[in-house]
Amino acid sequence: MHLDELERLYNEQAYTEAITKLEIYLQDNPGDTRGWQLLGLSQLENAKATDNRDLITAMYEAAYEAFSQVLILDPSHTQARVHRAYMGANVMTDKGDETISDCDILIAGGDEELTTKALLYRFQVWVLKNETEKALADMHRNLQVYESLYADDLPQLNVARFQCYTRIGDVYYHTENRPAALEYYKLAFDCTVYNNRLLSTTWFALDMADYDFAASMLQIMISAGENTRDEMLRLLRHIQQLLTDGVRHATLAREFCKGTTEFWQQFYGDDDDEGTLEQISTGKRFIAQYPEEAYFYHYTATAFFNIGSYQEALPWYEKSLAIKPYPFSIVRWYYTSYKVTGQFPEKWPDITHNIPYDWYAAGVIFSEIIQLEKEDNAKQFAIPLKRFLYKQAFDIYHAYWYENTGSSYSGHPHHFAMCCNNYGIALYEGGIFTEAVHVHTIGYNMSPFWEQLESRADAYHSMDKLAEAIEDRRTILASFHSTLPLTYYVSIHERMIDDLCTLERHTEALDLYEKILSEYNSWIARDMEELDEYDRNTITYNIDRIKTGRAFIRTNSEDDLSERILALESHLTEKPDDSDAYFNLMYLYFDNAQYEHCIGAINNRISIGGVSQLPVISQMKIYYFRGKAALKLGRYKAAISDMQHTLDIMGAGDAADNSPNYRFGVYAFMAEAWLGEKAYEKCLDYGAQCLNIYASNNWAWDTEASAVRYTMALAYEAKGDLSSCRKLIDQIVANDPGFQPAAEKKNELRGGGIFSFFRKKK
C-alpha cells in the first residue's frame, strides 16, 4: 500500500486501520520519516478518542516513540518536535527534561508562533517541577511575543493576553500569593471579559472583598447566560446575603438587582402584584442607600412599567436619565412617555456608553415592547430608534473586530453576529436594503446561523437580486436542516419556488415543488401535529401557497397550461375556500382563453377572500383581469366598470401603483371598450391619454403603440372621419409594417381589389 493511501485513511479518521497498516509498512520501510510521522499522528488521535486508561497510556507512549523516531531520522523535523513537546508537557509526566530540550530548540528557531507554543509547554513543565520563577519568566516572555505576533489583530491579542495573565494568576494562586493572583485575574478579565473563568473568579473576588471586580464579572455573566441557573442563583443569593449583612457597595448592589430581573420569580415569587411591590420596595431601599446610582431609579420604574403603570413609572425614569442615561433606560422612558403623553419625545438623550451588548439588548427590549403595541403609527415611529440602538452596538463591535480599537467588552463574536442580524432587519424595515445585506454578511462571517442568511435573503429579494436570495436559502436548507424550525423549512421552499419562477428557472422550481409536497405527505404532515396551533396553521398556509404557486411553474409539456390549471383545480377540490388558488387561476384561465372561467374564478376570489385587505397591486389585478375577460366576451359595459374600478384603486395607491406602464394598459383597454360601446369620443380620449404617456416617457414605438392607434383609427372611421383614420393607419404601417390589422385596413380604405383602378379613373 502506498503512503498516500495510508494518509487518506488518517484524513478519513480511520486511525486504527491506519495504525495497523503503517506498522506493517514501516517494518519494510524503517527509514521513512513521513511514515513514522503519520503513525505518531494516528496514535495521538486514537488516544484522544479512547476511554480505556491503560490503552490511552500505551497509545500515547507509542505516539511519543514514533515522533522520537522521526527526530532520530531528521532532527530538523519541526512538527514532530512540536507534537513531542506537547505530549511531554500535557500527557507524559516523566518526559520533563526531554520536553524542555525540545522547547529550547523550538524557541531557538525564532518562529514566533512556534515560540509561543514552546514557551507554554516549557511553562507547564516548570510548574510541575515547582520552578515558579522560571515558569513566570516564560509566561511573561510569551506576553512579549504575542504583542509582536498579533500586533494587528486586537481580538486575537486579547485572547492570548488573557491566557497568559490567567496562567500567571494561577501560579500565584497555587503558591498562596492570593493578592498577586487577584491582580493578574483582573488583567486577564480586562483582556477578555467573556471567558470561561468568570464564575470561579467572581467567587474568589468576593472572598477577597474586591466588590468592584466581582460586580464587573457579574454584569458579564448576566448578559452571557453561559452559567447554569443553579450556579447563578447560588451566587446571587450569596451577594444578597452580603448586602443584607451590611456590605455597602453601589455597583455590587446594582448588578445584584440586574440579576434579579433575570430570576424574578425566584426572588419575588409567583404573585405578580406582591412581587412588584417587593421590587419597588427593594428599589427604593437601594435609592435611599445610593441616591447617586441611576440604575436603582430605573429598577423601580421598571417595576411600574411591567404592570402597565406608565404614569407612575415616568418620573422614576426621568430621575434615572438625569443622573446617568443607560441605553435600556432610554427605551423604556421613550415608550413610557408615549403612553403617558400620547406622543413620542422629539429626541432621545445623547449619551456615551462603551458596552455594545447594552445597546444591543436595549434594541431587543424596545423591539419586544413595540411589537406588542397595537397602533401601527407607533410601530412606524419606533423604527428609527431601533435602528439607532443597533447601530450604536454595531459601530462599537465593528471597531473592535475590524479596526483594532476598543475594549474586550466587544469581544463576544456571537453577540456581534446577533447584533448584525437585528441591525440588518432594522435597516431592511427602513428600506435600506444594500446596507442590510452588508451588515448581514459581516454577521454571518462572524458567527454563521441560519437566521442571518434568511434575513439577508429578504434584503436581496427586495433589491431584486433573486438569484442571491435563492442561493442563501439553498444554503440554509443544505447546512442548517437539523436546527431549522419546521415552519421555516416549509416557508423557505415557498419563497425559493416563487423567486425561481420569477427568474424563469422553472425546472428547478418544479423539482423543489415536487420535493416539498412529497416530504409533506411522507413526514411533515405527521411531524407538524406536535407543534402548537399557530405553527400548524402557518405550515398549512405555506403548503397551500406552494400548491397554488404551481400556476406559475411552466414546463416543456405540450399540455403545460392545462396541467397547471388541473393542478389548481385539484387543489380546490381539497380546499374549496382557498382564495389564493382562485386568484392564480385567474391568470391561467385568461391565458387559456377560458374567459367565463376567468370571471368566475375572480368572483370566487372576491366572495371568499374579500379585496380590501389585499395589497393595492393585487386589488388592481383582480378588476383589471375581470375587465379584460369581459372585453374578450364583448361585455363592454362590464369591462368599462372594472377598468374604471382599477383606475380608482390605482389613484389611492403610491407612485409604484400609478406607474405609467400600468396606466397605459388600463387606458388602452378603456379605449377598446368604449369603441365597442360606440362611444367614439371617449374611445379617442383614452387613446390620446395612451399616446401622451408614450410621448412623455419617450418610449419607442412597439406593438402596443400600434394597437392603441389602430383602436383610435377604427373610432375615427366609425364616426366618418376617414382622413384622421387614414393618417393613423399610415403612421402604423410606416413604423410597424408587421402590424397586420393596419396593413389590411390600409388596403381596405383605398378600395383594394381587381377593380379598384377603374373606380379611381371614373
Side-chain angles (χ1 to χ4, degrees):
M1 177 175 284
H2 293 293
L3 204 54
D4 289 342
E5 180 65 17
L6 297 173
E7 189 166 0
R8 182 187 63 77
L9 290 173
Y10 170 79
N11 291 331
E12 292 176 355
Q13 300 180 16
Y15 303 124
T16 301
E17 184 180 357
I19 291 167
T20 301
K21 292 182 177 180
L22 278 164
E23 288 174 342
I24 296 171
Y25 173 83
L26 288 168
Q27 287 177 4
D28 296 330
N29 302 275
D32 192 320
T33 305
R34 183 182 168 201
W36 286 109
Q37 174 72 0
L38 196 56
L39 178 61
L41 291 172
S42 299
Q43 293 279 20
L44 184 59
E45 293 299 330
N46 223 21
K48 292 177 182 178
T50 302
D51 294 329
N52 186 297
R53 297 184 68 83
D54 292 336
L55 281 177
I56 290 173
T57 301
M59 288 177 182
Y60 275 132
E61 289 177 351
Y64 192 92
E65 289 307 314
F67 293 131
S68 297
Q69 190 64 39
V70 173
L71 293 173
I72 291 171
L73 295 168
D74 180 9
S76 67
H77 199 293
T78 301
Q79 287 305 311
R81 197 171 297 281
V82 169
H83 286 302
R84 196 170 77 162
Y86 162 80
M87 295 177 67
N90 292 281
V91 296
M92 312 284 289
T93 57
D94 60 340
K95 302 293 184 182
D97 293 339
E98 294 92 332
T99 301
I100 290 172
S101 175
D102 283 338
C103 291
D104 290 344
I105 293 170
L106 290 169
I107 292 167
D111 182 284
E112 287 187 328
E113 190 167 351
L114 289 177
T115 296
T116 61
K117 291 181 179 181
L119 285 168
L120 171 60
Y121 301 154
R122 196 169 70 180
F123 161 83
Q124 291 168 199
V125 174
W126 292 138
V127 169
L128 292 173
K129 289 177 172 286
N130 292 317
E131 296 278 3
T132 301
E133 294 304 319
K134 291 180 179 179
L136 292 173
D138 272 356
M139 203 44 56
H140 279 289
R141 184 177 173 186
N142 224 355
L143 273 169
Q144 295 174 345
V145 179
Y146 279 129
E147 293 289 343
S148 171
L149 183 62
Y150 298 129
D152 297 323
D153 189 346
L154 182 59
Q156 186 65 46
L157 176 58
N158 272 338
V159 170
R161 286 168 170 166
F162 167 80
Q163 293 168 344
C164 290
Y165 286 134
T166 299
R167 291 183 178 110
I168 293 170
D170 288 345
V171 170
Y172 282 121
Y173 182 86
H174 290 293
T175 56
E176 302 298 328
N177 191 342
R178 290 161 64 87
L182 186 64
E183 290 307 309
Y184 276 98
Y185 291 152
K186 287 182 183 179
L187 291 172
F189 174 77
D190 287 341
C191 293
T192 305
V193 299
Y194 294 99
N195 64 73
N196 59 358
R197 297 281 294 266
L198 288 172
L199 185 65
S200 60
T201 309
T202 301
W203 281 106
F204 180 50
L206 291 172
D207 187 48
M208 297 289 287
D210 192 328
Y211 301 125
D212 282 330
F213 186 30
S216 297
M217 290 184 287
L218 181 58
Q219 176 189 20
I220 296 301
M221 282 191 285
I222 292 168
S223 64
E226 293 173 359
N227 296 102
T228 67
R229 294 178 66 82
D230 288 344
E231 289 171 337
M232 290 300 296
L233 276 171
R234 179 170 169 261
L235 181 61
L236 289 168
R237 293 290 189 196
H238 179 74
I239 294 171
Q240 182 183 38
Q241 190 61 51
L242 290 175
L243 296 170
T244 301
D245 291 344
V247 169
R248 295 291 299 272
H249 196 277
T251 308
L252 188 63
R254 181 188 72 199
E255 299 309 321
F256 163 74
C257 285
K258 287 183 185 177
T260 64
T261 64
E262 298 295 319
F263 300 94
W264 198 87
Q265 288 184 317
Q266 286 80 359
F267 283 91
Y268 296 123
D270 295 326
D271 188 304
D272 289 347
D273 293 335
E274 289 185 10
T276 298
L277 290 175
E278 190 172 346
Q279 180 178 345
I280 292 168
S281 175
T282 300
K284 289 181 176 179
R285 173 165 57 85
F286 282 125
I287 287 170
Q289 293 179 16
Y290 314 107
E292 298 305 314
E293 173 49 63
Y295 181 80
F296 299 122
Y297 297 93
H298 166 91
Y299 187 71
T300 306
T302 301
F304 288 115
F305 181 96
N306 289 338
I307 60 172
S309 294
Y310 303 111
Q311 195 79 42
E312 294 177 275
L314 185 58
W316 294 101
Y317 282 132
E318 289 173 340
K319 289 178 182 177
S320 174
L321 294 177
I323 298 171
K324 177 178 173 57
Y326 292 105
F328 40 78
S329 296
I330 290 175
V331 299
R332 287 194 172 92
W333 160 79
Y334 191 71
Y335 184 74
T336 301
S337 298
Y338 163 72
K339 299 301 284 186
V340 171
T341 66
Q343 57 186 9
F344 287 104
E346 292 184 3
K347 60 181 181 178
W348 44 83
D350 183 17
I351 70 169
T352 300
H353 187 80
N354 66 348
I355 300 178
Y357 184 85
D358 288 350
W359 287 107
Y360 161 71
V364 173
I365 291 167
F366 188 58
S367 297
E368 292 174 348
I369 290 170
I370 211 68
Q371 190 173 12
L372 300 175
E373 176 58 46
K374 296 179 180 178
E375 292 292 331
D376 287 337
N377 288 340
K379 290 183 178 181
Q380 285 299 117
F381 202 88
I383 289 176
L385 180 55
K386 279 200 294 184
R387 197 158 61 237
F388 168 78
L389 294 165
Y390 291 132
K391 186 178 189 306
Q392 296 302 303
F394 175 84
D395 287 348
I396 299 171
Y397 279 124
H398 191 272
Y400 182 75
W401 286 95
Y402 288 91
E403 300 164 24
N404 285 325
T405 62
S407 73
S408 69
Y409 281 91
S410 304
H412 199 302
H414 190 62
H415 286 178
F416 183 19
M418 292 192 299
C419 172
C420 287
N421 192 45
N422 286 25
Y423 181 36
I425 292 171
L427 289 166
Y428 173 84
E429 290 173 344
I432 310 171
F433 305 128
T434 302
E435 183 64 17
V437 166
H438 173 66
V439 169
H440 284 307
T441 301
I442 291 173
Y444 186 74
N445 291 339
M446 184 61 58
S447 180
F449 50 88
W450 72 265
E451 292 92 338
Q452 198 90 255
L453 286 181
E454 176 64 7
S455 299
R456 189 171 72 176
D458 283 341
Y460 273 137
H461 181 91
S462 296
M463 296 166 65
D464 288 330
K465 292 189 173 184
L466 304 187
E468 289 84 347
I470 290 167
E471 199 53 43
D472 273 353
R473 291 188 168 119
R474 198 186 303 280
T475 301
I476 293 173
L477 296 178
S479 303
F480 299 95
H481 184 275
S482 62
T483 57
L484 188 63
L486 188 55
T487 51
Y488 280 94
Y489 181 76
V490 176
S491 69
I492 283 172
H493 280 79
E494 188 234 319
R495 294 175 187 183
M496 286 179 67
I497 291 169
D498 186 43
D499 285 349
L500 286 166
C501 288
T502 303
L503 293 176
E504 299 189 357
R505 291 160 57 177
H506 297 291
T507 301
E508 294 174 67
L510 186 60
D511 289 345
L512 207 58
Y513 167 88
E514 292 174 344
K515 167 183 173 290
I516 189 63
L517 290 187
S518 173
E519 291 177 340
Y520 177 74
N521 292 326
S522 62
W523 62 270
I524 293 174
R526 180 193 67 235
D527 288 4
M528 64 186 275
E529 292 305 314
E530 300 177 6
L531 305 177
D532 60 33
E533 183 180 6
Y534 176 82
D535 286 343
R536 291 199 306 272
N537 290 340
T538 300
I539 291 172
T540 300
Y541 171 77
N542 280 295
I543 289 294
D544 288 343
R545 293 263 300 174
I546 289 168
K547 289 181 177 179
T548 61
R550 179 65 179 87
F552 307 110
I553 305 176
R554 298 197 301 272
T555 68
N556 294 323
S557 168
E558 291 183 3
D559 298 323
D560 169 53
L561 192 54
S562 298
E563 289 171 358
R564 287 187 276 150
I565 290 172
L566 180 61
L568 265 67
E569 289 176 339
S570 299
H571 171 62
L572 281 167
T573 62
E574 301 174 15
K575 294 285 183 71
D577 292 333
D578 189 342
S579 57
D580 286 342
Y582 287 112
F583 186 83
N584 290 357
L585 270 172
M586 166 186 82
Y587 296 100
L588 301 184
Y589 283 142
F590 188 88
D591 289 346
N592 208 37
Q594 294 175 270
Y595 304 121
E596 290 286 7
H597 284 66
C598 176
I599 292 171
I602 293 171
N603 290 338
N604 284 336
R605 171 63 186 82
I606 293 172
S607 64
I608 293 171
V611 176
S612 59
Q613 77 277 18
L614 290 172
V616 170
I617 187 65
S618 296
Q619 295 182 39
M620 290 160 50
K621 288 177 179 178
I622 282 176
Y623 293 103
Y624 177 69
F625 269 89
R626 193 170 70 175
K628 286 204 301 179
L631 188 58
K632 290 288 187 180
L633 294 169
R635 299 171 188 170
Y636 303 119
K637 284 186 172 63
I640 290 166
S641 175
D642 279 340
M643 290 299 170
Q644 185 57 55
H645 206 155
T646 305
L647 288 171
D648 293 341
I649 294 169
M650 290 171 67
D654 58 22
D657 301 319
N658 275 285
S659 72
N661 193 50
Y662 291 162
R663 285 202 165 270
F664 173 85
V666 180
Y667 290 156
F669 285 119
M670 284 288 266
E672 190 176 341
W674 282 117
L675 176 66
E677 277 292 294
K678 299 183 171 49
Y680 305 123
E681 292 300 331
K682 288 187 176 180
C683 168
L684 293 169
D685 180 57
Y686 279 105
Q689 291 188 64
C690 288
L691 299 185
N692 290 337
I693 289 173
Y694 260 79
S696 60
N697 288 279
N698 199 29
W699 289 348
W701 195 298
D702 57 13
T703 302
E704 284 75 18
S706 297
V708 75
R709 283 178 170 82
Y710 183 72
T711 299
M712 295 173 71
L714 295 180
Y716 278 123
E717 180 186 32
K719 62 180 290 193
D721 187 350
L722 294 181
S723 175
S724 297
C725 174
R726 287 192 180 96
K727 183 178 179 180
L728 282 172
I729 293 297
D730 288 342
Q731 284 181 359
I732 298 170
V733 171
N735 287 279
D736 189 3
F739 191 79
Q740 197 61 35
E744 293 173 358
K745 178 60 69 174
K746 183 177 178 68
N747 189 47
E748 178 187 325
L749 288 172
R750 68 172 178 239
I754 60 173
F755 300 110
S756 61
F757 174 81
F758 296 103
R759 284 200 297 269
K760 290 175 184 175
K761 286 291 185 181
K762 284 181 70 175

